Amino acid sequence: MCSVRVSEAGQTDIQKLHIAIIGSGPAGYYTAEALAAAGDRVAVDVIDRLATPFGLIRTGVAPDHQSIKGVTRRFEKTAKRDNVRFVGNLAVGSDISIEELMDIYDAVVLATGAMHDRSLGIKGETLPGVRGSAELVGWYNSHPDYAESGLRLDMTSMVVIGNGNVALDVARVLAKTPEELSGSDILPDAGQQIARSQVRDIWIVGRRGPQNASFTNKELSEMGQLAQAVALADPGQFPSLEKDDALEPGKRKMMAILRAFTANDAGEKPIRVHFCFFSRPVAILGEDKVTAVKFEKTRVENGAVIGTGVEWDIPCDLVVPCIGYLSSPIGSVPFDERAGRFVNEGGRIADRLYAVGWARRGPTGTIGTNKPDGAEVAARLLAEVTPTGRKGRKGLDELIAKRQIAAVTFRDWEKIDEAEIKAAQGTHPRLKFTRLGDMLKATRR
Ligand code: NAP
């Protein structure tokens, strides 16, 4: 029989709904926020394999977009609620299995995001010089998995494949001056490599037309305001101006921003960012490293990409595919390999098992999209699951103690946070730890 603890409000632990959320990014914390609103009825543990919370906000959002990272203040409020707990440095799949979590908790929510690069499926993709956006963004954002992957920007030409916001993030960060990055929390190694960069041409290549790009306007406008880089586009790739009238206002604005790039002068600034459309990658060329990307010119019919058989090459030494991400499967949880997410119906995977965010929908939408998504799944879970008498947090604590795992609490994270802010250099807001040992050391201070 499991032990019964009585909470301050008189609710016994056995009557509570014990919920584990795996993943502490925006999907995880928005879901925790919605669940926590149920008050003393629920006890929510937000588990993360990293010792630091906030997932993509810390290691995915561009280091020069500090205002976007401000959403963590909202998540902090949730993390500090009595009925919510953060358990960091606990990897589901290696430290603890999903089956064990299902035994311990009444319900489990997968909020594991999608941090693996989708494959282009073309020849040459594994050549040195090809860096997926997960790895490249992880590098400049000090993600412990990638911070030491290193990158020398001693080439003059690089290609970014994809027409989404990640492609813009990569091109913008790599094209910025040290002054423009001075308020960022970029990895110092990345900041130094960017400062020494020899890159003069950045090609952002989309397989469909300008109207089909999924850039957001704020991010696209920034490309026109860089200190040492000029954004360029070929007017011949644009439909006639009247065609924009049929577009919804957001897309019309996007087209106006892109069209303005066609009037820019290539000699204006030392770095040229070329927006190229109607070109799909067919091979990455090179013997022992990348030397060029071969593209096939395309046309778009009813939104579909049709190859024309006409090929062209862009010589380059670095290729960054920014073509979307995949989630990772966990144990025997049903997983859709093609879509790169868990098989679910309205967030429900199976009895007592749910998915939210990119693990549920695939890698689409902005941070804010996770708020209604998390609220919807939380409401569904609260309606469908009743307390089963499982041990919840107590069971997890027993297992952590038995396996001698150095789990990290939210208070521990606050000490890491304080230490990072204290270590900040110049005008940078923080110096992020990249090694677990250094983070754990900070928690002991
Ligand atoms: P995305 O917006 O889906 O863009 C992916 C791009 O890759 C599309 O242009 C797509 O073309 C292209 N693509 C896919 N497969 C391809 C292939 N095999 N060959 C060539 N091109 C291919 O994805 P994302 O840029 O990774 O962003 C993910 C999500 O995060 C998005 O919702 C994005 O808005 C969000 N995000 C937001 C911000 C921000 O708000 N600041 C920053 C970063 C990311 P097709 O359209 O033809 O499929």
Side-chain angles (χ1 to χ4, degrees), residues 9-125:
Q11 186 111 24
T12 61
D13 271 4
I14 209 159
Q15 292 162 336
K16 276 187 199 284
L17 197 56
H18 296 283
I19 304 160
I21 297 176
I22 309 174
S24 68
Y29 267 115
Y30 275 125
T31 307
E33 180 182 319
L35 289 168
D40 209 30
R41 258 176 81 194
V42 299
V44 181
D45 280 355
V46 181
I47 296 169
D48 205 292
R49 75 181 177 94
L50 297 183
T52 53
F54 310 136
L56 209 64
I57 305 291
R58 179 172 162 96
T59 59
V61 169
D64 59 335
H65 278 179
Q66 288 295 309
S67 60
I68 297 180
K69 292 179 191 256
V71 71
T72 57
R73 283 190 283 278
R74 178 178 185 134
F75 300 152
E76 274 163 21
K77 279 192 195 146
T78 299
K80 287 180 172 174
R81 288 187 65 139
D82 288 344
N83 56 357
V84 178
R85 186 173 79 148
F86 172 70
V87 186
N89 195 31
L90 181 70
V92 177
S94 50
D95 292 326
I96 185 167
S97 70
I98 184 77
E99 289 77 18
E100 286 171 317
L101 281 177
M102 293 297 293
D103 266 353
I104 293 173
Y105 291 91
D106 297 314
V108 174
V109 182
L110 305 180
T112 45
M115 278 314 285
H116 294 284
D117 287 304
R118 196 176 272 284
S119 159
L120 279 166
I122 59 174
K123 194 170 154 267
E125 203 174 351

Side-chain angles (χ1 to χ4, degrees), residues 120 162-166 169 207-208 214 219 281 322-323 358 363-365:
L120 279 166
N163 269 182
N165 281 332
V166 172
D169 278 351
R207 61 182 171 179
R208 295 190 290 152
S214 48
E219 281 65 26
C322 301
I323 60 164
W358 284 4
T364 56

Side-chain angles (χ1 to χ4, degrees), residues 239-259:
S240 59
L241 193 57
E242 309 83 73
K243 292 248 167 80
D244 291 5
D245 294 342
L247 299 172
E248 51 93 7
K251 279 269 168 180
R252 219 179 305 143
K253 172 92 177 57
M254 182 188 80
M255 288 298 282
I257 301 167
L258 283 169
R259 283 182 193 280

